[in-house]
C-alpha cells in the first residue's frame, strides 16, 4: 500500500547518544546517532540504512 512504511522504529535517548530501534519483517536493527541529529533527519536516513542492512543479513544466509 502506498504511503505505508515498511518498518516501525522508536527513538531512545541514552545519555548523549540517540538509538533508533527498527523492526523490519521480523528482524530488529539498532542504529546509533549523535546528540545533534534531529528526529526528522534520522527518519530520512533510516530507509537506506534498513535496506542496506537487510540485504547484508540475507546475503549471509545464502551460499
Amino acid at each position: 500500500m502506498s504511503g505505508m512504511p515498511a518498518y516501525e522504529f522508536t527513538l531512545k535517548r541514552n545519555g548523549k547518544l540517540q538509538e533508533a530501534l527498527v523492526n523490519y519483517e521480523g528482524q530488529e536493527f539498532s542504529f546509533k546517532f549523535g546528540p545533534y541529529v534531529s528526529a526528522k533527519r534520522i527518519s530520512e536516513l533510516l530507509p537506506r540504512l534498513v535496506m542496506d542492512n537487510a540485504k547484508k543479513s540475507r546475503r549471509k544466509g545464502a551460499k
Side-chain angles (χ1 to χ4, degrees):
M1 193 183 242
S2 180
M4 299 279 297
Y7 57 88
E8 297 176 359
F9 73 96
T10 57
L11 289 176
K12 194 165 66 169
R13 197 161 180 80
N14 295 332
K16 291 188 175 184
L17 287 178
Q18 298 180 71
E19 188 174 11
L21 302 169
V22 180
N23 184 9
Y24 173 70
E25 293 183 355
Q27 299 175 338
E28 292 193 13
F29 301 105
S30 174
F31 303 103
K32 294 183 180 174
F33 298 93
Y36 302 110
V37 182
S38 68
K40 182 178 178 181
R41 182 66 180 143
I42 291 173
S43 67
E44 291 171 353
L45 291 170
L46 280 179
R48 179 63 187 252
L49 293 171
V50 169
M51 297 315 286
D52 286 349
N53 281 320
K55 286 181 184 177
K56 285 181 187 176
S57 64
R58 286 185 198 143
R59 236 181 278 147
K60 286 181 184 176
K63 289 187 178 183

